[in-house]
Amino acid sequence: MAVIHSAPRYASNAGMLDNLSAAIGGNLIAAHEEHGELMFTVQRAGIEDVLRLLRDEHEYQQLMEIAGVDFPGRAERFECVYMLLSLTKNHRIMVKLSAAEDTPVPTVTTLWPNAGWLEREVFDMFGVLFDGNTDLRRILTDYGFEGHPFRKDFPLTGYNELRYSEEERRVVYEPVELAQELRQFDFLSPWEGADYVLPGDEKADMPPVDEPKVTDSVKDTGAGAKADAKAGETVSAGSPAEEDSGRDRPESPEPTEDRADRPAREGKAVDTAASTRIDDDDSAKDDGA
């Protein structure tokens, strides 16, 4: 039985780039399609007007995510990417803008309530300020955290660390102290081979790989009469224990299969089976008792 949906299973990008670019108008800086998705770069000051237009007139009802990106080499190093979803068209677009450390981005909490949490995350991780957000607090890092972890100039170890102090019976904050030097790895698998000599390998005596060892003859294997005679020698021959003991080595015991049969046992020993069998007379005596 066929199921009819009000929205298509997937939406095509055909014509969408030009239509939305014309609708955004003067706030549009650039628009292009990449990896099957439409991306629009807009003016920072006009982000609220652009998103309201896309929500109300082009049916992009949901704000799915706000992501931050850091490009330290740019004058405006940060990018804020807004990801929108149209439920009726089953279509997604991305709208992005650029900002510097001291240039606030207008908030879009007036359009979507969930934008407050998403803007707090970008602020916490990157340090982007959002003008108009009345609750711009950290959301992922701890209270009193210094810096913004997703900035590419943020140290890998951070500035402070916290631990539970047994002496003070509370969590304390302390400057980071590295127990060992930070090491960098190139993630080369040893069995795949590196393009350089690993530390310590320069001391190894590498066999000539161009001359493989073969065993085509007895000489190559090391076997033969001389090897057999050497194998028969006593390993402990000439040791102090044998020289000073003055005793001859005991001979090996005779094989058990060549021994004579053991003589029959003498005395009151009886067969086990017969001694444990209950006779009828004994049973009658027990019953009469």
Side-chain angles (χ1 to χ4, degrees):
M1 176 175 150
V3 179
I4 301 177
H5 297 275
S6 59
R9 296 181 61 183
Y10 62 91
S12 173
N13 291 335
M16 298 291 295
L17 187 66
D18 295 335
N19 293 339
L20 295 179
S21 298
I24 295 174
N27 286 318
L28 182 66
I29 297 177
H32 67 283
E33 180 178 352
E34 186 174 352
H35 304 297
E37 296 183 346
L38 302 183
M39 300 185 181
F40 302 89
T41 304
V42 301
Q43 299 285 349
R44 180 175 59 255
I47 183 62
E48 184 179 2
D49 296 334
V50 170
L51 296 184
R52 179 181 288 108
L53 174 72
L54 295 173
R55 185 195 66 176
D56 297 343
E57 299 185 14
H58 296 273
E59 301 178 349
Y60 287 92
Q61 300 95 344
Q62 290 191 356
L63 174 65
M64 304 303 297
E65 181 63 280
I66 302 178
V69 188
D70 185 16
F71 298 93
R74 297 182 183 178
E76 294 185 342
R77 60 183 295 183
F78 301 117
E79 281 189 355
C80 292
V81 184
Y82 301 79
M83 305 177 188
L84 307 181
L85 169 65
S86 172
L87 297 176
T88 54
K89 299 177 182 179
N90 195 13
H91 193 257
R92 298 174 185 265
I93 61 173
M94 289 191 291
V95 181
K96 64 180 181 178
L97 56 86
S98 59
E101 299 180 22
D102 55 351
T103 54
V105 177
T107 184
V108 294
T109 53
T110 56
L111 304 178
W112 291 283
N114 68 317
W117 290 71
L118 301 177
E119 290 176 355
R120 286 177 59 184
E121 182 178 351
V122 176
F123 162 72
D124 193 1
M125 296 291 102
F126 294 92
V128 178
L129 302 175
F130 291 90
D131 186 19
N133 189 321
T134 58
D135 190 24
L136 195 62
R137 296 176 293 128
R138 293 186 181 272
I139 192 173
L140 296 178
T141 56
D142 198 4
Y143 298 106
F145 188 87
E146 297 181 7
H148 303 279
F150 280 5
R151 287 193 179 188
K152 293 182 179 179
D153 55 2
F154 186 80
L156 298 179
T157 57
Y159 297 105
N160 296 315
E161 62 182 357
L162 60 90
R163 64 176 180 88
Y164 181 79
S165 174
E166 291 289 349
E167 295 79 10
E168 302 183 23
R169 298 292 181 180
R170 65 182 182 87
V171 176
V172 296
Y173 292 82
E174 298 175 339
V176 173
E177 294 184 3
L178 298 181
Q180 66 178 16
E181 182 182 358
L182 181 64
R183 296 175 293 174
Q184 301 292 341
F185 299 91
D186 54 12
F187 302 103
L188 287 178
S189 299
W191 48 84
E192 293 178 357
D195 296 333
Y196 52 88
V197 178
L198 296 175
D201 285 356
E202 69 278 0
K203 303 176 183 178
D205 184 13
M206 301 299 294
V209 295
D210 296 335
E211 301 177 4
K213 186 176 181 180
V214 295
T215 56
D216 296 336
S217 64
V218 178
K219 180 180 180 182
D220 296 329
T221 61
K226 183 181 296 185
D228 295 341
K230 187 68 175 178
E233 295 180 0
T234 304
V235 177
S236 59
S239 62
E242 291 192 356
E243 293 179 356
D244 300 338
S245 63
R247 298 180 180 178
D248 297 333
R249 177 179 297 180
E251 298 181 356
S252 301
E254 297 179 358
T256 55
E257 59 269 16
D258 297 338
R259 293 181 181 178
D261 295 337
R262 181 181 299 176
R265 180 180 298 179
E266 298 179 358
K268 298 181 179 181
V270 296
D271 183 70
T272 303
S275 62
T276 56
R277 185 174 60 248
I278 299 176
D279 298 332
D280 296 337
D281 296 341
D282 295 337
S283 299
K285 294 177 182 179
D286 295 338
D287 294 339

